[in-house]
């Protein structure tokens, strides 16, 4: 009997390792995880039209399994996710999702929603909400928000030095934590006001 050549042994080993790795990589079903979003409803301070507003959401995975966000949908094409998908949050860890909002197409009060689709425990998606006032860039006269901002920048008050800058985060929140509750209340009020 002839001994095996080096090429035959290598080919046999590669085939065996490939077969073992394919059989070990069984499709694992995603386990629903509990996740908490920091400040899911935000009211940003006014921005000048044409500026880009950077938005970051902290996502805490409170489970022993990973959180995979497979898809991100927004109410406007001017909101772009800066992180690659699928976005992964490791078990019992916190990760930051980065979005960018281009204000060039909007003026006045704007309200936007962001839907994150993943393996969440109570639903297939989570809803985030933010709003702001987009102020047009005045050519000759400055808008009151710009004047106020310039005044605050030039003369910092003693309160800002003691308590810190109240606009440090760039947004403020309401007491309610789930945007779906606000929508339910609005819809219920509309239904109650119309007698059928």
């Amino acid at each position: 009997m002839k001994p095996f050549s080096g090429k035959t042994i290598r080919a046999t080993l590669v085939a065996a390792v490939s077969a073992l790795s394919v059989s070990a990589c069984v499709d694992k079903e995603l386990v629903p995880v509990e996740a908490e979003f920091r400040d899911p409803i935000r009211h940003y301070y006014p921005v000048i039209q044409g500026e880009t507003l950077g938005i970051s959401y902290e996502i805490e995975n409170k489970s022993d399994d990973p959180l995979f966000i497979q898809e991100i949908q927004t109410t406007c094409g001017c909101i772009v996710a800066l992180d690659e998908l699928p976005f992964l949050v490791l078990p019992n860890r916190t990760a930051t999702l980065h979005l960018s909002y281009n204000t060039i197409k909007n003026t006045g009060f704007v309200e936007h929603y962001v839907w994150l689709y993943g393996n969440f425990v109570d639903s297939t998606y989570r809803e985030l909400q933010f709003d702001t006032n987009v102020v047009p860039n005045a050519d000759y006269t400055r808008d009151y928000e710009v004047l106020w901002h310039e005044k605050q920048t030039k003369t910092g008050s003693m309160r800002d030095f003691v308590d810190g800058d109240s606009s440090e985060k760039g947004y403020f929140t309401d007491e309610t934590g789930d945007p779906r509750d606000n929508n339910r209340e609005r819809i219920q009020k509309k239904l109650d006001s119309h007698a059928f």
Side-chain angles (χ1 to χ4, degrees), residues 106-118:
N106 301 117
T107 55
F109 179 77
V110 292
E111 181 178 58
H112 290 292
Y113 294 88
V114 178
W115 295 282
L116 307 175
Y117 291 87

Side-chain angles (χ1 to χ4, degrees), residues 13-68:
L13 284 174
V14 168
V17 169
S18 298
L20 286 174
S21 62
V22 168
S23 65
C25 294
V26 178
D27 289 334
K28 185 177 179 184
E29 186 175 320
L30 289 178
V31 177
V33 300
E34 182 180 346
E36 183 177 317
F37 290 83
R38 183 173 182 194
D39 303 330
I41 302 173
R42 298 179 179 184
H43 311 287
Y44 282 94
Y45 295 100
V47 293
I48 297 174
Q49 185 180 23
E51 290 182 350
T52 300
L53 179 63
I55 304 169
S56 299
Y57 287 99
E58 285 188 11
I59 306 169
E60 182 181 358
N61 182 354
K62 296 185 167 190
S63 180
D64 293 331
D65 294 301
L67 168 65
F68 287 96

Side-chain angles (χ1 to χ4, degrees), residues 145-157 160-161 165 167:
E145 283 97 352
V146 176
L147 293 172
W148 180 84
H149 180 66
E150 288 176 358
K151 181 180 177 184
Q152 291 296 329
T153 304
K154 288 180 185 175
T155 60
S157 67
D160 290 341
F161 290 113
D165 186 10
S167 64

Side-chain angles (χ1 to χ4, degrees), residues 2-17:
K2 286 172 55 178
F4 291 109
S5 69
K7 290 181 184 179
T8 307
I9 293 174
R10 275 188 240 131
T12 306
L13 284 174
V14 168
V17 169

